[in-house]
């Protein structure tokens, strides 16, 4: 049963302070085009972490760091026996990233802490603000690393051995910036986790919604495909003698797109990589390798795609006179978020009068792994043109404020819930 809606509060975060702090952290690793380059576990990341830590300590929070560099800043509650309510996101960025991907969730969490202080509010449960290490995966080639190790999805020794292009390991990088903490990186009992993030897609902006009530993350299935035909001379080989691997691949790519579109706006199907061999303009391609991925919020739909795609792609290969080798790389289950936590986000948006809609996360987030151990929900805010992982990534101050305000209300309601 979801908690009954608490009465509308007059508690407000300080939107200007939130925005100023976002602009302040964006100076660390600022790029000339207005973006951010704050690659995980670099000197720039260390400066961002140090600044964040100083802000947390100035707000009276106690900061602890685990052995993957994940940072937890705790504000005590009235009842020390209650499990903490967590909120957070990540401060690392893509190589040419924007100011808000990740930073919004962490800095809005800081603003929630500062506002609770200003308002003199003592919550029943403690509240902890988290900065997860290496969400982006752009330096060591492995995304969601800090939360993934914490959640037990990835083995820590394997992650620590990963190297960046200069041969520096994750372990060495943690040591060199001084952020390998004494706490073990593993789940501890927590009451809930809330993550505010920009949508990184166009849906909220297109529908003029201020808040996305994220109900979960979609299921995925990924394949590698190899189509084999026969290399032959482009000028001398008549149609009856051709085994064109690229024509076979092109028809399969069209199949991926048709299967996606048959599922309406919830469908996702992508071929993002294509390697043509011998890749010469006067040779009929003998081999084509490509990637295929499907995503959908509904697990059963992924089951159907996973049954239908290999079969129909096989028919296409046969009709085209080529052979198809399909390897299923992995399948990621859908991760529904906790209904009671999602409901707190829904109620907060409604109380505050923000236009809102339910949405399924199309991207991976730390929250998806945290959700395996802790009741979790996410809040999305719109971003300009749905653009992210780009220096031009942009949001409006009032959008950041709305997200922060919903975060405050959801966290407060959870931390003060009866029987928590
Ligand atoms: Zn992010």
């Amino acid at each position: 049963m979801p908690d009954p809606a608490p009465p509308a509060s007059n508690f407000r975060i300080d939107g200007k302070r939130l925005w100023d702090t976002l602009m302040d952290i964006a100076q660390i690793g600022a790029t000339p085009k207005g973006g951010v380059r704050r690659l995980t576990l670099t000197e720039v990341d260390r400066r961002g972490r140090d600044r964040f830590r100083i802000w947390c300590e100035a707000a009276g929070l106690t900061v602890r760091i685990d052995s993957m560099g994940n940072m937890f800043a705790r504000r005590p509650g009235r009842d020390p026996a209650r499990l903490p309510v967590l909120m957070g996101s990540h401060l690392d960025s893509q190589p040419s990233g924007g100011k808000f991907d990740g930073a919004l969730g962490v800095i809005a969490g800081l603003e929630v802490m500062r506002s609770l202080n200003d308002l003199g509010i003592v919550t029943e449960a403690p509240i902890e603000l988290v900065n997860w290490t290496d969400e982006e995966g752009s330096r060591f080639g492995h995304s969601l690393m800090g939360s993934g190790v914490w959640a037990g999805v990835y083995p820590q020794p394997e992650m620590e051995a990963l190297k960046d292009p200069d041969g520096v390991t994750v372990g060495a990088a943690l040591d060199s910036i001084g952020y390998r903490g004494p706490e073990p990186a593993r789940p501890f009992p927590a009451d809930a986790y809330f993550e505010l993030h920009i949508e990184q897609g166009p849906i909220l902006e297109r529908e003029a919604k201020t808040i996305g009530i994220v109900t979960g993350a979609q299921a995925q299935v990924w394949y590698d495909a190899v189509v084999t035909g026969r290399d032959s001379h482009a000028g001398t080989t008549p149609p009856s003698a051709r085994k064109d691997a690229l024509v076979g691949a092109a028809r399969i790519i069209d199949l991926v797109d048709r299967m996606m579109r048959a599922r309406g706006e919830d469908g996702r199907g992508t071929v993002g990589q294509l390697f043509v061999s011998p890749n010469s303009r006067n040779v009929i391609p003998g081999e084509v390798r490509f990637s295929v991925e499907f995503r959908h919020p509904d697990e059963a739909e992924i089951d159907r795609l996973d049954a239908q795609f290999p079969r129909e792609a096989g028919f296409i290969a046969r009709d085209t006179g080529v052979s198809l080798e399909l390897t299923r790389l992995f399948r990621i289950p859908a991760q529904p978020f906790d209904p009671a936590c999602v409901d707190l986000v829904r109620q907060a948006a409604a109380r505050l009068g923000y236009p809102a809609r339910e949405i399924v996360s199309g991207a991976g987030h730390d929250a998806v792994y945290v959700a395996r151990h802790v009741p979790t929900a996410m809040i999305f805010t719109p971003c300009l043109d749905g653009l992210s992982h780009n220096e031009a990534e942009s949001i409006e101050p009032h959008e950041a404020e709305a997200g922060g305000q919903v975060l405050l209300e959801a966290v407060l309601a959870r931390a003060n819930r009866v029987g928590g």
Side-chain angles (χ1 to χ4, degrees):
M1 276 293 287
D3 295 322
S9 78
N10 293 317
F11 304 137
R12 288 289 178 272
I13 63 162
D14 182 336
K16 181 175 186 309
R17 180 171 57 191
L18 167 59
W19 189 257
D20 290 347
T21 310
L22 277 166
M23 293 305 108
D24 202 337
I25 195 83
Q27 290 303 309
I28 300 176
T31 60
K33 285 185 189 160
V36 167
R37 179 188 175 88
R38 204 161 49 230
L39 292 182
T40 191
L41 305 181
T42 55
E43 193 52 26
V44 178
D45 184 29
R46 181 192 63 74
R47 281 166 43 215
R49 287 164 175 267
D50 287 355
R51 179 84 55 93
F52 172 63
R53 182 184 199 150
I54 287 166
W55 284 333
C56 286
E57 286 171 353
L61 311 178
T62 308
V63 178
R64 53 180 211 283
I65 298 159
D66 75 14
S67 56
M68 282 302 293
N70 298 317
M71 302 172 73
F72 302 86
R74 184 179 176 102
R75 186 176 191 271
R78 192 195 59 78
D79 181 354
R82 294 262 299 237
L83 299 179
V85 174
L86 314 180
M87 57 181 173
S89 196
H90 60 96
L91 287 176
D92 71 315
S93 84
Q94 288 285 325
S96 51
K99 295 198 264 302
F100 306 102
D101 177 355
L104 175 64
V106 176
I107 301 303
L110 178 66
E111 176 52 39
V112 166
M113 296 291 206
R114 288 170 166 173
S115 296
L116 291 173
N117 289 349
D118 292 350
L119 296 161
I121 295 173
V122 179
T123 53
E124 288 298 309
I127 300 177
E128 291 193 7
L129 172 57
V130 193
N131 171 32
W132 299 106
T133 295
D134 194 1
E135 192 274 347
E136 296 289 2
S138 42
R139 180 175 175 196
F140 299 99
H142 199 295
S143 61
L144 301 171
M145 192 190 290
S147 56
V149 169
W150 184 87
V153 183
Y154 308 129
Q156 187 164 356
E158 228 170 82
M159 293 299 108
E160 284 196 30
L162 292 178
K163 290 179 181 162
D164 73 2
D166 297 326
V168 180
T169 63
V170 168
L174 273 168
D175 290 331
S176 77
I177 67 161
Y179 271 88
R180 189 201 290 274
E183 305 265 329
R186 61 165 185 247
F188 50 80
D191 184 51
Y193 175 70
F194 293 92
E195 180 165 349
L196 168 65
H197 205 283
I198 56 170
E199 179 199 346
Q200 303 177 279
I203 296 170
L204 296 178
E205 184 185 53
R206 208 161 60 193
E207 298 185 6
K209 303 293 189 201
T210 310
I211 295 294
I213 304 154
V214 190
T215 54
Q218 50 194 355
Q220 308 180 26
V221 60
W222 292 33
Y223 306 90
D224 271 344
V226 183
V227 173
T228 310
R230 191 174 56 209
D231 308 353
S232 53
H233 195 292
T236 60
T237 316
S240 58
R242 288 183 178 227
K243 292 185 175 175
D244 188 329
L246 185 53
V247 170
R251 289 180 185 161
I252 294 170
I253 293 167
D254 181 57
L255 169 70
V256 171
D257 189 64
R258 282 186 284 117
M259 287 176 63
M260 169 186 78
R261 288 177 192 280
R263 282 158 176 88
E265 282 292 278
D266 280 341
R268 303 285 187 275
T270 305
V271 174
Q273 267 186 331
L274 187 76
F275 304 98
V276 179
S277 171
N279 208 21
S280 167
R281 65 186 304 149
N282 56 2
V283 179
I284 296 163
E287 185 187 89
V288 176
R289 296 174 172 267
F290 58 102
S291 63
V292 178
E293 62 147 88
F294 292 104
R295 306 185 190 205
H296 199 281
D298 182 356
E299 197 79 46
E301 212 51 67
I302 289 290
D303 283 337
R304 283 191 277 276
L305 284 159
D306 193 21
Q308 184 190 351
F309 174 65
R311 192 177 61 235
E312 295 199 7
F315 293 153
I316 289 173
R318 197 193 54 201
D319 293 348
T320 327
V322 295
S323 68
L324 169 67
E325 190 191 318
L326 205 56
T327 311
R328 196 171 78 170
L329 295 182
F330 52 80
R331 176 141 176 205
I332 302 173
Q335 177 64 63
F337 288 151
D338 180 74
C341 290
V342 172
D343 204 48
L344 290 178
V345 173
R346 187 185 294 113
Q347 290 176 30
R351 268 200 312 276
L352 292 157
Y354 294 132
R357 65 161 276 166
E358 292 194 357
I359 190 168
V360 172
S361 176
H365 288 291
D366 294 311
V368 176
Y369 285 156
V370 177
R372 296 190 182 195
H373 300 276
V374 179
T376 290
M378 286 189 80
I379 306 156
F380 276 176
T381 52
C383 50
L384 186 68
D385 295 332
L387 194 64
S388 143
H389 289 189
N390 188 309
E391 290 168 278
E393 178 187 286
S394 180
I395 67 173
E396 295 296 322
H398 70 88
E399 293 168 335
E401 181 172 349
Q405 190 66 44
V406 171
L407 181 66
L408 169 76
E409 298 245 346
V411 166
L412 197 54
R414 185 75 180 188
N416 285 339
R417 75 186 167 127
V418 179

